[in-house]
Amino acid sequence: MHVPDGFIDAPVSAAAGVLAAGAVAVSLRGARRELDERTAPLAGLVAAFIFAVQMLNFPVAAGTSGHLLGGALAAILVGPYTGVLCILVVLLMQGVLFADGGLTALGVNITVMGVVTVITAHLVFRGLLAVLPRGRGSALAAAFAAALVSVPASAAAFTLLYAVGGTTDVPVGKVLAAMLGVHVLIGIGEAAITAATVGAVLAVRPDLVHGVKGLAAPLKLRVGGELVDAPAGPAAEAPAAGPARSGRAVWAAGLAAALVLAGFVSFYASASPDGLEKVAADQGIDAKADQYEHATADSPLADYGVKDVDDERLSVGLAGVIGVGATVAVGTGVFWVARSRRTAAARPAADPETSAV
C-alpha cells in the first residue's frame, strides 16, 4: 500500500507529514520505555524482517496481490512506540534506496502504514487478551485478529486522506468499497504471517514478545494439598515456555530468515499490482501520478534490482540482501540511540558535594 507521489495533493500530504512527525516524536520518547539491552537489537531485526517480507507479494484475487504491512507484527513483538519507528525505518529505506513510495507522500505512508496499523493492532491485541483465557493460543488468536483488522483500517485511512486531498475526481464511496474489498483479503494474509511469526518467537523466547509481558499466569506451588502463588524470584520470572535460548541465537536466526526471504524467495513473489495499485488503476486514482517522477528514480537499487546486473534473479536477490542489511543497520542504530537516551535519562544526578571535589 505504498502511496506514490501524485495521489494526494500537496497541502494534505504536508498535513500528513506534520502528523507523522508528531507521531515519530512521541514514539521516540515512548520507545525509551520499551527498549532495553535485549529488545533494541530485536527491534532492528523486526524492521529488517518486515522489509524482507514486504518483498513477498502474494496473490489475493485475479490480477491483484498483497504484501505485509507489518504494523501489527511490530507492535506485538516490540511495542507500539517502537513499532511505529520500525515502520518508519522500513519506509525510509524503501523510499530512498528503492524508489518505492513517494517521498512527498512519506508522511502519508507513515500515517497510513505505520501509525494507523500499529495503533489499531495494539488496541485490538490488548483488548482481546484482556478477555481471552491466558495462554499461547489466545495470544496467537489475538495476533491474528489484530493484524486482520489493521489492514482494512489502513485502507480506510488512505480513503479518508483521498477524500480530503485526492488529486482526481473519483467518488469516495467507490474508492472506499474497492479499498476495503481487496484489503480485507490482504488482511487475511497479513494475519497468517503475523500469527506465524509471533508464534515462532513465543515458542523459543516468550520473554521477548512485548505484547504478552505481564500477562503470564503466576507460577503455582502445591502446599498442603492447595495451590498457592509461588514467591517472586528467579524461577517465577523465567520464560513461561520454550527452551532457553540466547538473544543472539534468536537474532541470528531471524536475520538469516530475512536474508533468505529477501535474497531468494522474493524472486518468486507475485508480479501482479498490489491492492492500492489495482484500485488506483481501476478507479482512475492514478490519473495524475505519471506527472511525478520519483526523486530517487535513478537509484542503483530502484525497483528492487541492482543496476547493471543483467541476471534478473541475481539482481533482485542482491537488492533484497542489501536492503535487509541497510535496514537492520539503520534500525539497530536508531534503537540503540533511543535506548542510550533512556539510560542517560534514568541515571541519577551526581551529588553536588562529591562532584565539586
Side-chain angles (χ1 to χ4, degrees):
M1 194 191 287
H2 295 77
V3 181
D5 299 321
F7 280 19
I8 307 296
D9 64 23
V12 174
S13 294
V18 172
L19 176 62
V24 169
V26 171
S27 297
L28 282 168
R29 182 176 294 272
R32 297 177 193 174
R33 300 192 298 270
E34 295 173 343
L35 295 169
D36 55 32
E37 66 278 359
R38 296 178 306 163
T39 56
L42 177 64
L45 174 63
V46 169
F49 185 80
I50 290 172
F51 172 89
V53 181
Q54 283 194 1
M55 292 183 66
L56 309 180
N57 280 45
F58 49 85
V60 295
T64 310
S65 69
H67 63 72
L68 182 81
L69 298 186
L73 179 61
I76 295 168
L77 289 180
V78 293
Y81 296 109
T82 307
V84 170
L85 299 181
C86 284
I87 304 302
L88 167 67
V89 170
V90 172
L91 292 174
L92 282 173
M93 294 297 100
Q94 291 169 333
V96 173
L97 296 180
F98 299 93
D100 188 10
L103 293 186
T104 63
L106 182 60
V108 173
N109 282 315
I110 293 171
T111 300
V112 170
M113 294 180 63
V115 178
V116 171
T117 58
V118 167
I119 291 177
T120 301
H122 176 69
L123 293 176
V124 172
F125 184 77
R126 299 295 296 187
L128 287 175
L129 285 189
V131 298
L132 292 173
R134 291 179 177 179
R136 183 168 178 248
S138 294
L140 294 182
F144 187 96
L148 176 62
V149 174
S150 71
V151 176
S154 180
F158 166 79
T159 305
L160 176 61
L161 292 176
Y162 178 81
V164 179
T167 58
T168 55
D169 187 17
V170 180
V172 175
K174 292 181 63 177
V175 175
L176 179 62
M179 287 292 289
L180 290 181
V182 69
H183 283 91
V184 165
L185 298 177
I186 295 173
I188 297 173
E190 176 104 10
I193 295 170
T194 300
T197 306
V198 171
V201 180
L202 280 174
V204 295
R205 285 295 299 270
D207 57 310
L208 293 180
V209 180
H210 182 278
V212 300
K213 287 183 178 179
L215 296 175
L219 182 65
K220 298 285 186 178
L221 295 177
R222 186 173 297 277
V223 179
E226 296 183 0
L227 289 176
V228 298
D229 290 345
E237 296 172 358
R245 298 194 181 185
S246 71
R248 289 183 179 179
V250 173
W251 191 91
L255 180 61
L259 289 171
V260 169
L261 292 173
F264 177 74
V265 183
S266 62
F267 179 77
Y268 301 97
S270 172
S272 298
D274 69 16
L276 176 58
E277 292 172 332
K278 179 65 172 175
V279 171
D282 290 347
Q283 303 297 329
I285 296 174
D286 60 354
K288 297 184 178 181
D290 291 341
Q291 302 175 13
Y292 299 83
E293 182 178 5
H294 199 285
T296 61
D298 294 330
S299 166
L301 298 173
D303 297 324
Y304 297 94
V306 178
K307 187 177 180 180
D308 297 330
V309 175
D310 296 330
D311 187 291
E312 184 180 0
R313 179 176 299 180
L314 179 60
S315 178
V316 172
L318 285 175
V321 169
I322 293 170
V324 168
T327 304
V328 76
V330 173
T332 302
V334 167
F335 299 124
W336 271 111
V337 169
R339 173 186 172 273
S340 299
R341 299 180 90 181
R342 168 198 174 181
T343 303
R347 188 178 297 121
D351 188 333
E353 296 183 2
T354 59
S355 61
V357 175

